Amino acid sequence: MKLFPHQEVARDFLLTKKRCILADAPRVGKTAPTAAASLHNLPVLVVCPAVAKYVWAKAFAQLGHTATVISGKSAAATLAPTPGMVAVINYDILSQVKALKGWATLVLDESHRVKTPTAKRTKAAMKLMKETHHVYALSGTPIPNRPIEIWPILHGLGIYKRSWMEFACRYAKAWQSPWGLDVSGASNIPELREKLKPWVLRRKRADVFTAYQQPVVSLVELDLPVDKREKQFDADSISDLAANSPDVVLALEGISEIMREAGELKAPHAAEFIRSKIEQEPDEPLVVFAWHKSVVQILSDALKVSPAIPHLTVTGATSATQKQEAIESFQAGKSQVIIGNVSSMSEGVDLSRSSTVIFAESTWATSALEQASARVENVNKNGCAPSIYILTIRTSLDSIILSKVLKKMNVIDQIL
């Protein structure tokens, strides 16, 4: 495998720093240079989302090295490093790994998944980071929504050695709110940026892609009835909170159900939108994202109605092998449309055959939006501006929140 010049820079950065963050924007190409750097110090343990395991295995194969893909809790529990080994495991079973010592290199792909100190995967990752000499944290969105989320990685790497609370007070504007400690803010950002600077390499797609063009993002408002239950929520307060803490808002009683039902209401109209795009551009492949499996199913059923539109679907219920087959089939031109969950198809996959992304259902997390949208990017594509369509219901909470979230997409640039 021949690396692009910017990937050679990334490889050399990793080898020089040993413990660092490769934060190149999604689709710039972090896998190949990291695999190349990792082979300098074996054995290697790569931790990544399940859908990306075979992407990593393929990258190592192209470098002439066979990687062992670990699947299932029992295989994880018996995993132990051996000379020359490259093992690839997913975050979901990382906590089962007992052999913490003996790895020369640890790769944490999509390292923003290690953001909650109390989560099993975070605890397991931090233990491994402590025991491993070379640690490479990879993420195009290392701070999904707020600065506090990067503390586990910074602490595990040894870049920031103080406690979570000290970080929260210094950089997350921590304060005691009526409902508990609020760490959703940001403070002393220039100082944090300077602390990170020596240990982070970040290039945007515009820095390395030939004739790169920024995506054209359109918020498509559907004229559908707004759920009456939304009236009990203060739209401005909810949208401000969601822009910083989308998970907190979704945990509010009733919100998740309202969003799911809104997605199901939108789905038939989203299917018609997909049909109209195909009529306008018969040769343009489409990548479609939704949040709920029920919405994916409604979309799929609607596209089967005559005249049927051949399509592929990927959800959390799809096995890793089936996901990879669906993605490769789409990339090979065997289907014009691929529909997937944001959580199942937004990281570690290449869907760059398309330049059009349709969110039948979106997410309020800025990192997930960027990750999903970037699936159609590729360093080999020249001068093609992706089209991103986000479908929402006019005057709904979702519409108001999305408007604010889209304005917030520059937070990471302020820090990194």
Side-chain angles (χ1 to χ4, degrees):
M1 179 200 300
K2 181 173 174 57
L3 301 179
F4 288 99
H6 76 276
Q7 292 178 316
E8 292 178 346
V9 171
R11 176 201 60 201
D12 295 343
F13 172 81
L14 296 173
L15 289 171
T16 301
K17 294 297 183 181
K18 298 180 182 178
R19 299 173 70 84
C20 54
I21 301 173
L22 180 55
D24 284 342
R27 304 303 303 144
V28 165
K30 297 183 284 293
T31 304
T34 305
S38 299
L39 291 178
H40 285 258
N41 297 281
L42 298 166
V44 177
L45 178 62
V46 177
V47 187
C48 63
V51 71
K53 287 195 292 187
Y54 290 97
V55 174
W56 278 97
K58 184 178 179 180
F60 281 107
Q62 290 174 335
L63 292 167
H65 200 100
T66 300
T68 301
V69 176
I70 308 300
S71 299
K73 292 181 178 180
S74 59
T78 57
L79 174 64
T82 59
M85 171 186 265
V86 173
V88 183
I89 191 170
N90 50 299
Y91 281 106
D92 303 321
I93 56 175
L94 180 61
S95 62
Q96 302 298 315
V97 175
K98 304 295 189 297
L100 303 181
K101 296 184 178 182
W103 302 101
T105 302
L106 171 66
V107 177
L108 296 173
D109 185 24
E110 306 295 359
S111 61
H112 54 268
R113 293 195 170 204
V114 181
K115 65 179 183 179
T116 307
T118 55
K120 288 182 179 180
R121 70 174 60 170
T122 303
K123 291 178 179 178
M126 293 185 76
K127 287 178 182 177
L128 279 163
M129 293 170 79
K130 183 179 179 180
E131 300 291 347
T132 311
H133 187 58
H134 296 81
V135 182
Y136 306 144
L138 277 57
S139 178
T141 51
I143 303 169
N145 295 290
R146 44 195 175 164
I148 193 64
E149 294 169 332
I150 201 173
W151 177 85
I153 290 296
L154 296 186
H155 191 70
L157 290 172
I159 296 172
Y160 185 87
K161 297 181 179 180
R162 296 183 179 181
S163 70
W164 178 91
M165 181 58 74
E166 288 177 287
F167 186 93
C169 291
R170 186 68 186 167
Y171 301 115
K173 206 174 185 178
W175 66 287
Q176 196 64 43
S177 72
W179 52 85
L181 186 66
D182 187 325
V183 293
S184 63
S187 51
N188 299 305
I189 296 306
E191 178 184 300
L192 178 58
R193 183 169 58 240
E194 286 303 306
K195 281 184 178 291
L196 294 180
K197 194 173 182 179
W199 310 105
V200 177
L201 176 63
R202 179 171 177 81
R203 279 86 53 88
K204 299 179 182 179
R205 292 184 286 278
D207 297 328
V208 297
F209 285 18
T210 303
Y212 174 77
Q213 295 186 42
Q214 288 286 348
V216 178
V217 181
S218 302
L219 195 62
V220 180
E221 295 189 318
L222 303 173
D223 192 13
L224 296 171
V226 176
D227 195 302
K228 293 179 180 179
R229 290 171 294 177
E230 290 192 13
K231 293 180 180 180
Q232 66 183 290
F233 301 102
D234 181 86
D236 289 333
S237 299
I238 289 289
S239 59
D240 286 340
L241 180 58
N244 292 304
S245 308
D247 292 341
V248 172
V249 173
L250 287 172
L252 294 175
E253 185 176 359
I255 288 286
S256 290
E257 184 179 355
I258 290 171
M259 291 302 104
R260 177 182 57 78
E261 291 179 4
E264 293 171 352
L265 179 64
K266 285 188 293 179
H269 301 272
E272 286 305 308
F273 186 82
I274 292 167
R275 287 183 183 277
S276 69
K277 296 305 295 181
I278 290 175
E279 288 173 2
Q280 294 166 19
E281 299 180 81
D283 298 324
E284 173 62 16
L286 303 178
V287 175
V288 182
F289 286 106
W291 191 253
H292 297 92
K293 284 191 287 186
S294 59
V295 175
V296 173
Q297 188 61 56
I298 294 171
L299 282 169
S300 179
D301 291 342
L303 294 180
K304 290 175 183 175
V305 176
S306 182
I309 296 175
H311 60 280
L312 300 160
T313 60
V314 173
T315 69
T318 310
S319 71
T321 302
Q322 291 172 325
K323 285 180 186 178
Q324 192 60 32
E325 289 174 351
I327 291 162
E328 290 178 358
S329 180
F330 176 77
Q331 284 292 89
K334 296 178 181 178
S335 180
Q336 188 171 6
V337 179
I338 187 167
I339 307 170
N341 287 121
V342 172
S343 56
S344 299
M345 203 173 69
S346 65
E347 296 176 340
V349 299
D350 181 2
L351 300 169
S352 58
R353 175 172 161 253
S354 172
S355 293
T356 303
V357 177
I358 297 170
F359 286 94
E361 272 185 305
S362 186
T363 168
W364 301 331
T366 55
S367 62
L369 271 174
E370 184 178 1
Q371 285 277 1
S373 300
R375 293 310 100 199
V376 299
E377 302 281 12
N378 190 296
V379 72
N380 292 308
K381 292 175 79 169
N382 294 320
C384 180
S387 297
I388 314 295
Y389 298 95
I390 303 176
L391 277 58
T392 187
I393 296 174
R394 187 172 62 86
T395 72
S396 67
L397 275 177
D398 183 54
S399 176
I400 296 168
I401 291 170
L402 279 171
S403 297
K404 290 200 174 184
V405 165
L406 292 174
K407 292 177 183 177
K408 181 180 175 282
M409 295 289 274
N410 66 345
V411 170
I412 293 173
D413 291 333
Q414 294 177 12
I415 298 174
L416 299 180

